[in-house]
Amino acid sequence: MITEIYADYFDNLIKGNRSACLQTVKELLDDGIDIKTLYLDLFQGTLYEVGELWEGNRISVASEHLATSITESAMGMVQPLIFSRDRCGKKSVVACAANEFHQVGGKMVADILELHGWDGYFLGANTPIADLLAMVREKHPDLVCLSLSIYSNLPQLIKTIEALQEEFPQIEIRVGGQAFRWGGREAVEQYPGVRLFPTLDDLEQYLMG
């Protein structure tokens, strides 16, 4: 299903044709597409390509931002389906590290958790450590997920992990994001209770295990 429409959707995404992209997503949802498939094969796949074009100076920052905005709008169309699922009694806090302004990956993680019945608290981009700690203190989550897209922000992510573990030594932490294409697994997994999930599939396997 995705293979048949991918090229046209990507072309509209790059051109900033919001209405065409949203119409495609509506038709996929009407046809009963699996939400994880939609997220992985269409949203994630196209945004990875957009990122590669931006990194290669083949599209502007404005075009990259517009594609991200359209994707976030499309993800909003999925919310009624996600929140209609039965709750499992578990809670998660999902955030992007401080100085990290790419939040779509983190939002996808939060949505997959909600899809599996978790009550999620998505804090968005550039979450200060103090504010993250305050939210964890308030919500008492079963899991904290941290998203990182830019590898140079890895030291900030490490600071966040250390701050969380200092106050909440037993807390489970999962990290992921495009930044880890360039390394960093050993840096984060040296901390007990911290694991890297390279893909949304890894996260779902954890949730189903």
Side-chain angles (χ1 to χ4, degrees):
M1 187 182 296
I2 294 293
T3 303
E4 298 170 357
I5 58 88
Y6 185 97
D8 284 342
Y9 177 88
F10 181 71
D11 184 58
N12 284 316
L13 188 67
I14 287 295
K15 292 177 179 177
N17 293 336
R18 182 183 299 269
S19 61
C21 289
L22 298 187
Q23 180 61 32
T24 297
V25 173
K26 180 182 183 302
E27 291 171 0
L28 290 170
L29 292 172
D30 289 345
D31 289 340
I33 189 171
D34 175 71
I35 294 174
K36 192 194 75 171
T37 299
L38 179 66
Y39 274 37
L40 281 175
D41 295 348
L42 188 63
F43 296 160
Q44 182 173 276
T46 53
L47 283 182
Y48 280 3
E49 283 200 65
V50 168
E52 290 170 0
L53 291 175
W54 173 74
E55 288 174 355
N57 293 317
R58 295 169 62 189
I59 62 172
S60 67
V61 172
S63 294
E64 187 266 341
H65 285 183
L66 182 55
T68 299
S69 174
I70 292 171
T71 303
E72 289 181 319
S73 295
M75 290 171 65
M77 299 172 65
V78 184
Q79 299 305 298
L81 297 175
I82 289 175
F83 289 100
S84 67
R85 301 298 176 93
D86 292 336
R87 303 291 91 187
C88 69
K90 293 185 177 182
K91 295 184 289 187
S92 63
V93 169
V94 181
C96 303
N99 300 323
E100 178 59 65
F101 294 94
H102 294 79
Q103 69 174 23
V104 174
K107 183 65 172 67
M108 287 185 180
V109 167
D111 284 356
I112 293 298
L113 286 159
E114 292 279 1
L115 190 62
H116 284 267
W118 290 55
D119 291 316
Y121 302 93
F122 177 59
L123 309 186
N126 190 29
T127 304
I129 292 176
D131 292 339
L132 173 61
L133 294 176
M135 184 61 67
V136 173
R137 207 176 293 129
E138 176 184 342
K139 301 301 182 183
H140 305 287
D142 299 278
L143 181 69
V144 174
C145 296
L146 302 172
S147 176
L148 191 73
S149 296
I150 306 300
Y151 184 72
S152 60
N153 287 334
L154 181 61
Q156 189 65 49
L157 179 68
I158 296 298
K159 289 180 182 178
T160 304
I161 291 171
E162 291 176 345
L164 282 166
Q165 292 202 324
E166 181 177 356
E167 184 168 349
F168 312 101
Q170 303 303 319
I171 200 162
E172 289 291 317
I173 301 172
R174 299 294 179 263
V175 300
Q178 278 288 83
F180 292 98
R181 292 183 303 168
W182 312 109
R185 177 186 287 271
E186 292 182 358
V188 296
E189 290 191 341
Q190 66 175 308
Y191 297 93
V194 180
R195 285 180 57 194
L196 169 66
F197 284 169
T199 69
L200 292 178
D201 273 330
D202 296 304
L203 171 63
E204 187 160 67
Q205 287 174 16
Y206 163 78
L207 294 173
M208 296 176 66

